[in-house]
Amino acid sequence: MPLRTLTLAASLATLIAAHPALAGKANDTLVYASDSEPENVSPYHNSAREGVILARNCWDTLLYRDPKDGTYKPMLATAWTWADDTTLDLTIREGVVFHNGDPLGPEDVAFTFNYVLTPEARTVTRQNVDWMKSVEVTGPHTVRIHLKAPFPAALEYLAGPTPIFPAAYFKKVGLDGFAKAPIGSGPYRITKVDSGRGVSMERFDKYWPDSPLGKPKIGKLQFRVIPDGESRMAELMTGGVDWIWRVPSDQAEQLRAAPNITVLNSETMRVGFLQFDTLGRAKENSPLKDVRVRQAISYAIDRKAMVDNLVRGASRVMNALCFVDQFGCTDQGVMRYPYDPAKAKALLKEAGYPNGFEIDLGAYRERDYAEAVIGYLGAVGIKARLNYLRYAAFRDSLRAGKVSIGYQTWGSFSVLDVSAFDGVYFRGGEEDLTKDPQVIADLQEGDGSTDPETRKAAYAKALQRIAAQAYALPMFSYSTNYAFTSDLNFTAQPDEVARFYAASWK
């Protein structure tokens, strides 16, 4: 057993003996912790998973996708009708109020989408709304969304990463004020944003009846930022927090033996992948401009061993750059890269790098996964230097062309459509390090066609070219370990959304 594991086991044993787990049931406060915080609490101004969780618990969307059967149900919109392929009419629910008491109406819907579509909004998640052209109020309780082009996945996006803001309040306080005191209409309302430390929430007593989310059973939520993994576990063991996640597999095994702690493993939609700077912006005369080098890197990494020994649980190796349950995701006809270091060395030699080369590798989470990749690259002669950053800094560096190899993870904002994955990284936007016209055209065809089979065929072509050119190397789906007090009823979903509004005390 490694020294680190022995030390951790000893410290946990001491904590278990001295401090039996104390849940937040007594004061009806569920405290959950993660390693990072969103750069801005506004759902349109961060792309961190922690921000997605806050959004789903504190803001409502126009539609609701039932995770049990995938059907779309009314939420803030009670009805919707396609006038034509690029015009969507919606009826907005009456009687809903925001957390500050303002009534929610069609003006709020139109303002939200029209605002986040403007350059001035500095929308971080623009890919989630960029399919819209504009939104207009058409009646006392109706709006019309004008699309730039046909976009069959529109309902999926309206049921996910597109919450509604209170127009009057947002206009009054602006983005900076909204980030400090955000207002939504969801089951929980945010009572305090403590930058760098966390967010406090409480059940919204005026939440509208008959919501598909239901009325929360737990009175208060508190999100705490605890960067160090062992500190999060210690807090769980001593009753400082009730719920943690992304627990490394070795630590999860130890927690299974702890009294009053439940450990749950679940596969998520999140996929890890290496993205290559194929345009050579980060390094002059970059070896990554050569497809043989990118393929060599792909053959050099034993992804199955990483799944078996690091990720574990329900994780699976991915061959196509998407999550298997997303519409349009397929690995049929996609080039495979089995672990073959000899072939990797041969390709490097053929490309003119018989002794390898030096390169930078950026990452922002699961440092041990990134270090494993660096070890595999070193075995074939590639000396990779790790640049480990916070997510926002990593993302900005990648967009600025300062990252040669990015160790990425993406949960697609829990959208079950390939457009939410490959559309982000290969359709010509800020995250696209390749700008391949053929891939862009295929993705545009897939996004815009109203025929499902045409969409699937177009996406398949894009996925095949991405793999053949080794623009990116899909690694594996993420398997997440959740650990929480046994006093808590909590169900994990593959979309990686922690639905605390559906949790309860036993």
Side-chain angles (χ1 to χ4, degrees):
M1 184 180 292
L3 178 60
R4 173 180 172 277
T5 304
L6 282 169
T7 303
L8 178 59
S11 62
L12 285 177
T14 302
L15 285 167
I16 292 169
H19 302 280
L22 301 173
K25 182 177 180 179
N27 58 4
D28 198 21
T29 301
L30 169 56
V31 181
Y32 70 97
S34 190
D35 59 349
S36 57
E37 65 174 334
E39 60 199 282
N40 187 315
V41 177
S42 164
Y44 292 102
H45 295 86
N46 80 81
S47 54
R49 178 53 48 168
E50 288 79 6
V52 174
I53 292 172
L54 285 170
R56 294 298 183 94
N57 284 280
C58 300
W59 279 270
D60 278 346
T61 51
L62 293 175
L63 277 62
Y64 171 74
R65 174 166 51 76
D66 192 326
K68 296 179 181 178
D69 58 18
T71 57
Y72 299 112
K73 297 180 178 180
M75 202 169 190
L76 293 180
T78 58
W80 53 92
T81 304
W82 286 100
D84 54 49
D85 288 347
T86 59
T87 310
L88 179 62
D89 292 325
L90 302 102
T91 302
I92 305 305
R93 185 178 300 276
E94 299 179 57
V96 176
V97 297
F98 286 105
H99 297 153
N100 64 347
D102 289 350
L104 186 151
E107 293 80 7
D108 301 292
V109 176
F111 165 78
T112 299
F113 296 146
N114 287 330
Y115 165 72
V116 297
L117 286 168
T118 64
E120 294 77 20
R122 307 190 306 276
T123 305
V124 171
T125 61
R126 189 176 176 87
Q127 69 272 10
N128 293 329
V129 294
D130 208 31
W131 49 275
M132 300 184 204
K133 181 180 180 180
S134 63
V135 182
E136 63 174 319
V137 176
T138 54
H141 308 294
T142 56
V143 297
R144 169 168 284 186
I145 299 178
H146 298 279
L147 282 65
K148 293 179 179 177
F151 188 59
L155 299 185
E156 176 70 12
Y157 283 79
L158 293 178
T162 51
I164 304 304
F165 285 175
Y169 176 76
F170 195 98
K171 291 175 183 177
K172 178 181 177 181
V173 301
L175 178 57
D176 290 342
F178 193 78
K180 296 174 183 176
I183 296 293
S185 63
Y188 285 97
R189 72 180 189 94
I190 294 174
T191 57
K192 182 180 181 181
V193 177
D194 192 356
S195 181
R197 303 173 73 89
V199 178
S200 298
M201 295 153 273
E202 67 179 19
R203 181 171 51 212
F204 182 41
D205 290 335
K206 294 182 180 179
Y207 188 54
W208 56 281
D210 302 322
S211 165
L213 303 187
K215 184 177 180 179
K217 296 180 176 63
I218 296 176
K220 295 182 180 180
L221 302 179
Q222 184 179 354
F223 165 49
R224 289 182 57 192
V225 181
I226 307 176
D228 180 68
E230 293 188 19
S231 296
R232 289 195 301 276
M233 284 202 300
E235 290 272 18
L236 177 66
M237 300 303 302
T238 58
V241 302
D242 303 294
W243 183 100
I244 62 175
W245 69 336
R246 299 173 183 162
V247 180
S249 298
D250 58 339
Q251 297 173 9
E253 288 303 312
Q254 295 173 60
L255 283 173
R256 291 182 194 280
N260 302 321
I261 298 295
T262 297
V263 177
L264 176 65
N265 179 271
S266 176
E267 184 183 33
T268 73
M269 286 179 60
R270 184 167 299 277
V271 175
F273 62 101
L274 297 184
Q275 189 178 14
F276 303 122
D277 174 31
T278 66
L279 300 177
R281 294 190 301 163
K283 180 181 175 67
E284 188 176 0
N285 299 319
S286 173
L288 297 175
K289 296 172 72 172
D290 192 319
V291 64
R292 294 168 296 185
V293 171
R294 303 193 298 269
Q295 290 176 338
I297 292 173
S298 302
Y299 283 117
I301 299 168
D302 193 343
R303 296 173 291 163
K304 181 65 165 58
M306 291 183 68
V307 165
D308 292 343
N309 299 302
L310 283 177
V311 193
R312 293 193 270 187
S315 174
R316 291 177 282 176
V317 171
M318 295 286 134
N319 292 304
L321 194 68
C322 49
F323 181 65
V324 291
D325 289 346
Q326 290 180 305
F327 178 89
C329 183
T330 178
D331 61 6
Q332 292 185 358
V334 169
M335 186 171 176
R336 262 62 167 177
Y337 292 96
Y339 178 53
D340 192 340
K343 189 165 187 174
K345 290 180 180 179
L347 282 167
L348 289 173
K349 183 178 180 179
E350 182 182 326
Y353 301 98
N355 300 315
F357 52 85
E358 294 185 1
I359 201 78
D360 67 282
L361 186 148
Y364 68 95
R365 56 180 287 178
E366 284 86 34
R367 189 184 189 111
D368 51 343
Y369 296 5
E371 289 174 344
V373 169
I374 288 173
Y376 284 121
L377 296 182
V380 298
I382 300 174
K383 303 174 184 64
R385 302 178 302 275
L386 178 61
N387 187 15
Y388 195 78
L389 303 166
R390 289 184 178 272
Y391 175 68
F394 168 85
R395 182 199 64 213
D396 292 346
S397 293
L398 183 137
R399 289 178 172 180
K402 299 177 180 179
V403 178
S404 293
I405 303 175
Y407 182 89
Q408 294 263 41
T409 77
W410 189 241
S412 299
F413 278 93
S414 304
V415 172
L416 286 172
D417 194 274
V418 164
S419 63
F421 201 125
D422 297 87
V424 174
Y425 294 99
F426 287 97
R427 204 183 149 173
E430 290 182 294
E431 319 283 353
D432 189 350
L433 306 187
T434 300
K435 303 292 195 300
D436 183 323
Q438 181 177 326
V439 174
I440 292 172
D442 289 336
L443 291 176
Q444 287 175 336
E445 181 181 5
D447 289 353
S449 174
T450 57
D451 176 52
E453 296 306 314
T454 299
R455 295 190 73 206
K456 290 178 182 178
Y459 287 141
K461 286 173 59 180
L463 292 168
Q464 289 166 10
R465 181 163 176 82
I466 291 168
Q469 292 296 313
Y471 291 145
L473 174 67
M475 299 285 282
F476 36 71
S477 62
Y478 266 60
S479 174
T480 291
N481 289 307
Y482 304 84
F484 48 91
T485 171
S486 296
D487 278 343
L488 181 67
N489 285 310
F490 172 80
T491 302
Q493 298 286 353
D495 61 10
E496 210 178 11
V497 174
R499 293 171 170 82
F500 293 122
Y501 57 78
S504 62
W505 301 118
K506 293 181 180 177

